[in-house]
Amino acid sequence: MSKGRFITFEGTEGCGKSTQVKLLAERLKALGHKVRVLREPGGTPIGEEIRHTLKHSQQNHAMTAEAELLLMNASRAQLVREIIRPALAAGEIVLSDRFYDSTTAYQGYGRELDLEQVKSVIDFAVGSTRPHLTLFLHVPAEVSEERLRSRQSTLPFVRDRIEEADRKFFERVAAGFAAIAANEPERIKFVNGAQPAENVCVRIWELVENILPKFGRW
Ligand code: TMP
């Protein structure tokens, strides 16, 4: 078993993951840990090109759900082998903003692809590389929509194909995350993302601390 720790953050748009990944990385680094921060899709040069194709390319309007599933997992297969496995083997703490639960939620529940087939594709992409802990940041749909609107109004407009999906799609994604979290309570921890960021951060630290001491010198 590798020496490192692999922690993933999941949730719907605007759940506050990215802020919390940064805060946790800073805290771990301040304690002397070697920390690797990643995002999906992306995280490698190949993955970032795939991310552009998935989200922002001007040519991506006709993308099918099947192609979307495979591209997400092509990016993931690269990230796992190029970065995650070597980092874990070197004893680093790897934090990823999204991982395969997003595929189950978005492509499985959201796009309504067959869940068994989605699982097979994920298994092929990640092999035995699985998160030790997954933090599922939950926010109600209204909070998610409001945060998304305010983010879109402050940043220069960049088209995002996935964010263009309709409300029903995001309701299925949210229900999907809830189902995934309920199925794997040992790995996936529910965090109320609607609280002020400082409180979310405190809760996350309690959960992360729990998995750190199992690692000898920590
Ligand atoms: P984000 O980095 O801003 O969260 O954007 C990533 C988008 O990609 C987000 O809309 C969720 C979506 N996504 C999937 O649909 N499937 C996946 O497997 C992953 C990792 C992300």
Side-chain angles (χ1 to χ4, degrees), residues 1-2 4-8 10 38 40 73 76-89 92 94-96 98-101 119 121-134 184 187:
M1 180 164 162
S2 65
R5 269 307 192 226
F6 183 22
I7 302 171
T8 60
E10 298 282 4
L38 304 171
E40 275 211 329
N73 283 279
R76 178 166 302 134
Q78 188 68 30
L79 185 67
V80 163
R81 288 157 187 82
E82 187 177 328
I83 310 273
I84 298 177
R85 287 182 187 166
L88 291 176
E92 294 182 25
V94 177
L95 306 182
S96 188
R98 299 193 182 281
F99 198 53
Y100 60 68
D101 297 310
K119 183 175 177 307
V121 174
I122 291 171
D123 288 347
F124 180 66
V126 305
S128 62
T129 303
R130 309 278 162 167
H132 297 101
L133 172 68
T134 295
E184 274 191 80
R187 172 177 67 89

Side-chain angles (χ1 to χ4, degrees), residues 149-211:
R149 260 198 303 277
S150 86
R151 189 169 76 198
Q152 284 163 346
S153 67
T154 52
L155 297 174
F157 178 74
V158 183
R159 180 180 158 265
D160 185 322
R161 188 185 56 85
I162 299 171
E163 287 177 8
E164 286 168 358
D166 61 20
R167 192 176 192 165
K168 287 255 169 300
F169 170 82
F170 288 106
E171 285 170 4
R172 289 195 298 274
V173 170
F177 272 125
I180 296 163
N183 276 343
E184 274 191 80
E186 278 301 303
R187 172 177 67 89
I188 307 178
K189 301 297 178 195
F190 179 95
V191 177
N192 174 6
Q195 320 168 68
E198 313 82 73
N199 301 9
V200 178
C201 184
V202 168
R203 176 67 188 133
I204 286 178
W205 185 249
E206 287 167 4
L207 293 164
V208 169
E209 256 189 326
N210 266 341
I211 67 158

Side-chain angles (χ1 to χ4, degrees), residues 10-14 17-18 39-42 51 54-56 68-69 71-73 75-76 96-108 111 122 148 151 160-163 169-170 173 177:
E10 298 282 4
T12 52
E13 322 291 313
K17 285 178 290 90
S18 310
R39 69 171 178 183
E40 275 211 329
R51 180 183 176 92
L54 279 161
K55 284 168 64 99
H56 310 302
E68 184 177 277
L69 170 69
L71 285 172
M72 291 289 177
N73 283 279
S75 168
R76 178 166 302 134
S96 188
D97 187 338
R98 299 193 182 281
F99 198 53
Y100 60 68
D101 297 310
S102 282
T103 298
T104 310
Y106 282 80
Q107 281 67 55
R111 302 286 189 219
I122 291 171
L148 200 59
R151 189 169 76 198
D160 185 322
R161 188 185 56 85
I162 299 171
E163 287 177 8
F169 170 82
F170 288 106
V173 170
F177 272 125

Side-chain angles (χ1 to χ4, degrees), residues 138-151:
H138 178 265
V139 290
E142 315 80 69
V143 174
S144 171
E145 281 171 7
E146 180 46 41
R147 287 185 181 170
L148 200 59
R149 260 198 303 277
S150 86
R151 189 169 76 198

